């Protein structure tokens, strides 16, 4: 067998059973298109079927040529791949047979493509070879104990430098895929064989692009890489030596001080740096608070009728029962029933319904906390992104002694930073720190960078730019629906990274199925309903417009409008 790479195409001759077929299939699974070269297509049918069965997303072609010298073992293309001179003329056209079609190309066209782009060795080939063997072992095409050809022999067969093959073997031995013993050669290691299941959506099978409109994530292509890198350099240059130790479990003091100032200006949160606790996400914060509440003997926490089910799961894991709050035409009625020790709310932009908590209800829930000694857990979801007016201040500002404020960088920057914070009442701070543990679980470099990012003004500039971007996307969505799907109602305030689209009664599941066929990932409103809620809203979609990039958003919007019109 001889093989070589032409750009992203693997050229393989003389493929047969055993290692040749396994290598060919592995190259295809690595994402390379495969051209099988032989005098007769019959010689390669089985190899082609094997490749197509396990890597159907790549192109597999069989190329046959008629030569004037029948005693040649390989074709003129073989000579090219092995570096020899091309002294065998090809008189007739090469027949290229792709899946389900037949086309014709000339030998001159093949020669020109190979001459311009032929790659015989290098790190790209080494990686492809290693991945081919790795995949053959993983899927069982190379059984445990199989002896592989020597690096010298395989290099000669593939037309590669011996060092390239030897290095690939060494990588696989180090990873545990192969074993090598002096005198015994290189063998496939004993491993559990796993066959990957490639789940494909209807959109992928039909060739349609996929667009993620699930709410909750921002546009990650808009992450301010240059500004973040600049802040990282400045933060590391100024960081004291003790910053690289275990540190205060509350988080770096630089970040807590920066947050105290920023939250006071941007969200009306009043808290001292000593009472801010850095955590690895709002879910992490709720885990900490659940432990504190359970430790105080709490049994019940009121939650909104519609919300993320993972929050209820976190509370339930601490032994707390979640009680759904009533829902009416004005939104959530936030005053909990008797016997409730805490209430969890998203007052700025309720997730997922999209309404803001009304002023009288904001006052009522704080009065409840003062009167009963209960706690209000305020998830400031989308608090930075109000489009039609200035953002309403956080609920915490009404009474910092009975409201716990939770904020995060997951929507404003990126969830991968794993940065969130809690502004705690003074009476709760020590218990929360103890529940978190004595070793800070949040990576220090991101904390230092975030502190610099905030104090330099880069964070505020980024939020303003993001607010304009998401406002424009929501405006485009509202305009498109008014023109092409006037029966669809936009529900909720002009804010955040998602909106709710009211549908005709009984159509939610039908629209979701249509969205899947058209390559759209969207969520139905019903999936967020609390299992014990007595209130049920009408059919609706929850559409997140944060994830697609600026380039992908127009196509995603067009696809959404098509299924709704």
């Amino acid at each position: 067998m001889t093989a070589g790479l032409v750009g992203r195409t693997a050229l393989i001759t003389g493929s047969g059973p055993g290692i040749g077929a396994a290598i060919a299939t592995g190259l295809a699974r690595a994402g390379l298109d495969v051209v099988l070269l032989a005098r007769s297509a019959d010689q390669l049918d089985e190899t082609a079927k094997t490749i197509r069965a396990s890597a159907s997303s790549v192109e597999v072609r069989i190329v046959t040529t008629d030569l004037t010298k029948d005693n040649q073992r390989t074709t003129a293309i073989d000579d090219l791949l092995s570096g020899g001179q091309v002294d065998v003329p090809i008189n007739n056209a090469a027949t290229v047979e792709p899946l389900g079609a037949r086309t014709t190309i000339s030998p001159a066209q093949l020669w020109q493509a190979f001459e311009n782009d032929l790659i015989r060795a290098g790190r790209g080939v080494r990686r492809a070879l290693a991945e081919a063997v790795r995949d053959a072992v993983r899927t069982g095409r190379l059984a445990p104990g199989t002896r592989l050809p020597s690096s010298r022999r395989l290099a000669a067969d593939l037309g590669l430098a011996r060092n390239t093959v030897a290095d690939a073997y060494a990588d696989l031995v180090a990873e545990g895929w192969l074993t090598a013993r002096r005198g015994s050669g290189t063998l496939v290691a004993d491993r559990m064989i796993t066959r990957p299941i490639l789940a494909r959506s209807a959109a992928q099978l039909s060739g349609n692009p996929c667009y993620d409109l699930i709410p909750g994530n921002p546009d990650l292509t808009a992450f301010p890489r240059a500004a973040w890198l600049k802040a990282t350099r400045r933060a590391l240059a100024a960081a004291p030596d003790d910053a690289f130790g275990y540190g205060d479990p509350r988080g770096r003091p630089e970040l807590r001080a920066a947050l105290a100032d920023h939250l006071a200006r941007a969200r009306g949160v009043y808290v001292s740096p000593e009472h801010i606790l850095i955590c690895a996400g709002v879910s992490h914060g709720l885990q900490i608070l659940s432990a504190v509440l359970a430790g105080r003997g709490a049994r019940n926490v009121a939650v909104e009728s519609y919300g993320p089910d993972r929050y209820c799961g976190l509370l339930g894991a601490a032994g707390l029962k979640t009680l759904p709050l009533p829902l009416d035409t004005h939104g959530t009625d936030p005053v909990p029933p008797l016997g409730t020790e805490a209430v969890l709310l998203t007052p700025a932009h309720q997730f997922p319904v999209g309404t803001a908590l009304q002023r009288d209800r904001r006052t009522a829930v704080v009065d409840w906390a003062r009167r009963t000694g209960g706690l209000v857990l305020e998830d400031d979801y989308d608090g930075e992104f109000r489009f039609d007016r200035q953002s309403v201040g956080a609920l915490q500002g009404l009474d910092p002694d009975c409201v716990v404020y939770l904020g995060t960088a997951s929507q404003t920057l990126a969830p991968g930073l794993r940065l969130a914070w809690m502004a705690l009442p003074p009476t709760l701070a020590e218990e929360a720190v103890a529940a978190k543990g004595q070793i800070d679980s949040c990576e220090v470099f991101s904390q230092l960078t975030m502190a610099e990012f905030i104090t330099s003004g880069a964070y505020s500039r980024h939020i303003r730019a993001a607010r304009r971007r998401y406002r424009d996307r929501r405006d485009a969505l509202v305009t498109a629906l008014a023109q092409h799907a006037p029966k669809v109602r936009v529900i909720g305030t002009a804010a955040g990274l998602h909106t709710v689209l009211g549908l005709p009664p009984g159509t939610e599941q039908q629209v979701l199925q249509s969205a899947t066929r058209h390559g759209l990932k969207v969520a139905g409103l019903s999936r967020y309903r609390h299992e014990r809620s007595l209130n049920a809203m009408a059919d609706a979609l929850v559409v997140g417009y944060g994830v697609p990039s600026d380039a992908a958003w127009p196509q995603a919007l067009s696809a959404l409008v098509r299924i709704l019109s």
Side-chain angles (χ1 to χ4, degrees):
M1 187 188 78
T2 304
L5 292 180
V6 179
R8 294 292 297 170
T9 300
L11 308 171
I12 303 172
T13 65
S15 296
I19 185 68
I23 292 292
T25 304
L27 289 169
R29 294 291 298 273
L32 300 174
D33 293 334
V34 175
V35 177
L36 303 174
L37 311 168
R39 294 185 54 80
S40 170
D42 295 338
Q43 300 175 12
L44 299 176
D45 279 346
E46 289 303 316
T47 298
K49 291 178 182 178
T50 301
I51 296 173
R52 290 167 181 166
S54 60
S56 58
S57 62
V58 303
E59 182 180 14
V60 182
R61 295 179 293 170
I62 295 177
V63 177
T64 60
T65 61
D66 294 328
L67 304 179
T68 58
K69 295 184 179 181
D70 293 335
N71 61 350
Q72 291 290 331
R73 185 184 68 85
T74 56
T75 66
I77 300 173
D78 280 325
D79 294 329
L80 268 176
L81 295 173
S82 61
Q85 296 295 318
V86 183
D87 57 1
V88 181
I90 302 177
N91 292 335
N92 299 330
T95 301
V96 180
E97 190 174 347
L99 292 173
R102 176 177 292 273
T103 59
T104 301
I105 61 173
S106 69
Q109 289 173 315
L110 284 174
W111 160 257
Q112 183 179 14
F114 299 160
E115 181 182 42
N116 290 342
D117 298 318
L118 193 62
I119 302 173
R120 298 185 184 86
R123 288 189 56 82
V125 178
R126 171 181 168 183
R127 285 196 300 269
L129 176 61
E131 179 57 30
V133 176
R134 192 181 294 115
D135 190 73
V137 175
R138 182 187 298 117
T139 56
R141 293 192 304 277
L142 288 179
T146 301
R147 184 189 301 275
L148 299 186
S150 67
S151 59
R152 184 188 303 276
R153 176 183 168 189
L154 187 59
D157 284 346
L158 296 178
L160 304 175
R162 183 184 178 187
N163 285 345
T164 300
V165 178
D167 290 343
Y169 273 8
D171 292 342
L172 294 166
V173 169
E175 295 171 9
W177 296 95
L178 305 178
T179 60
R181 297 187 184 92
R182 186 178 297 276
S184 299
T186 303
L187 307 177
V188 176
D190 291 332
R191 298 177 60 89
M192 180 180 294
I193 297 174
T194 58
R195 299 184 180 273
I197 300 175
L198 302 178
R200 294 170 179 266
S201 68
Q204 289 174 315
L205 292 173
S206 64
N208 293 332
C210 288
Y211 300 107
D212 188 353
L213 299 182
I214 297 294
N217 286 313
D219 179 358
L220 300 181
T221 66
F223 183 82
R225 295 171 186 255
W228 187 260
L229 179 60
K230 184 178 180 180
T232 300
R233 288 171 174 164
R234 288 182 175 178
L236 291 179
D241 293 338
D242 65 0
F244 305 106
Y246 286 115
D248 190 327
R250 293 174 298 176
R252 285 301 304 171
E254 298 92 338
L255 178 55
R256 289 187 282 117
L259 282 169
D261 179 66
H262 169 76
L263 294 175
R265 288 185 289 103
R267 302 296 300 127
V269 172
Y270 297 100
V271 63
S272 67
E274 290 75 18
H275 298 144
I276 289 180
L277 182 65
I278 306 301
C279 46
V282 171
S283 294
H284 183 207
L286 283 178
Q287 283 182 308
I288 296 169
L289 294 173
S290 298
V292 171
L293 290 170
R296 288 184 167 190
R299 300 178 59 186
N300 300 312
V301 176
V303 298
E304 292 160 324
S305 290
Y306 285 77
D309 55 3
R310 68 179 183 276
Y311 289 177
C312 293
L314 291 171
L315 294 166
L320 301 171
K321 183 179 180 180
T322 56
L323 307 176
L325 292 165
L327 182 70
D328 57 29
T329 56
H330 300 292
T332 298
D333 182 352
V335 178
L338 292 175
T340 304
E341 290 83 6
V343 56
L344 173 61
L345 300 171
T346 53
H349 188 226
Q350 200 280 331
F351 183 87
V353 178
T355 56
L357 191 62
Q358 293 187 338
R359 182 175 60 183
D360 58 336
R361 293 186 170 183
R362 289 164 59 92
T363 302
V365 71
V366 172
D367 288 342
W368 165 84
R370 290 171 180 158
R371 185 177 64 255
T372 64
L375 276 177
V376 178
L377 312 182
E378 178 186 13
D379 177 4
D380 194 29
Y381 190 86
D382 285 340
E384 302 274 11
F385 297 126
R386 185 69 184 258
F387 306 140
D388 58 344
R389 51 164 291 174
Q390 185 175 351
S391 296
V392 176
L395 198 64
Q396 191 265 4
L398 295 179
D399 195 333
D401 291 330
C402 60
V403 179
V404 178
Y405 173 91
L406 296 101
T408 178
S410 294
Q411 274 72 48
T412 54
L413 283 168
L417 294 177
R418 309 312 304 142
L419 276 177
W421 42 85
M422 293 191 290
L424 298 163
T427 57
L428 198 69
E430 290 186 8
E431 294 174 80
V433 171
K436 181 183 179 185
Q438 294 305 308
I439 297 178
D440 187 18
S441 61
C442 303
E443 186 264 319
V444 68
F445 298 111
S446 294
Q447 292 188 56
L448 293 171
T449 300
M450 187 67 180
E452 171 63 26
F453 202 65
I454 293 172
T455 56
S456 68
Y459 187 51
S460 295
R461 290 192 294 272
H462 171 74
I463 289 176
R464 288 195 294 270
R467 190 182 294 126
R468 290 192 296 269
R469 177 183 302 109
Y470 298 133
R471 180 192 61 203
D472 290 345
R473 293 185 185 184
R474 187 183 188 278
D475 289 347
L477 172 61
V478 172
T479 300
L481 291 175
Q483 293 177 350
H484 303 287
K487 293 183 179 180
V488 176
R489 298 175 296 109
V490 178
I491 301 172
T493 56
L497 276 64
H498 78 279
T499 193
V500 175
L501 304 181
L503 302 173
T507 62
E508 182 177 309
Q509 294 304 314
Q510 178 184 347
V511 172
L512 289 174
Q513 293 171 4
S514 178
T516 300
R517 290 194 300 270
H518 286 80
L520 284 177
K521 296 180 180 180
V522 294
L525 180 60
S526 58
R527 69 176 285 185
Y528 298 105
R529 182 171 176 251
H530 193 285
E531 61 183 0
R532 291 191 296 274
S533 174
L534 299 178
N535 306 107
M537 296 185 64
D539 287 1
L541 290 185
V542 186
V543 176
Y545 41 76
V547 174
S549 65
D550 288 339
W553 169 242
Q555 289 77 23
L557 177 57
S558 296
L560 177 64
V561 170
R562 280 198 300 272
I563 68 170
L564 294 176
S565 58

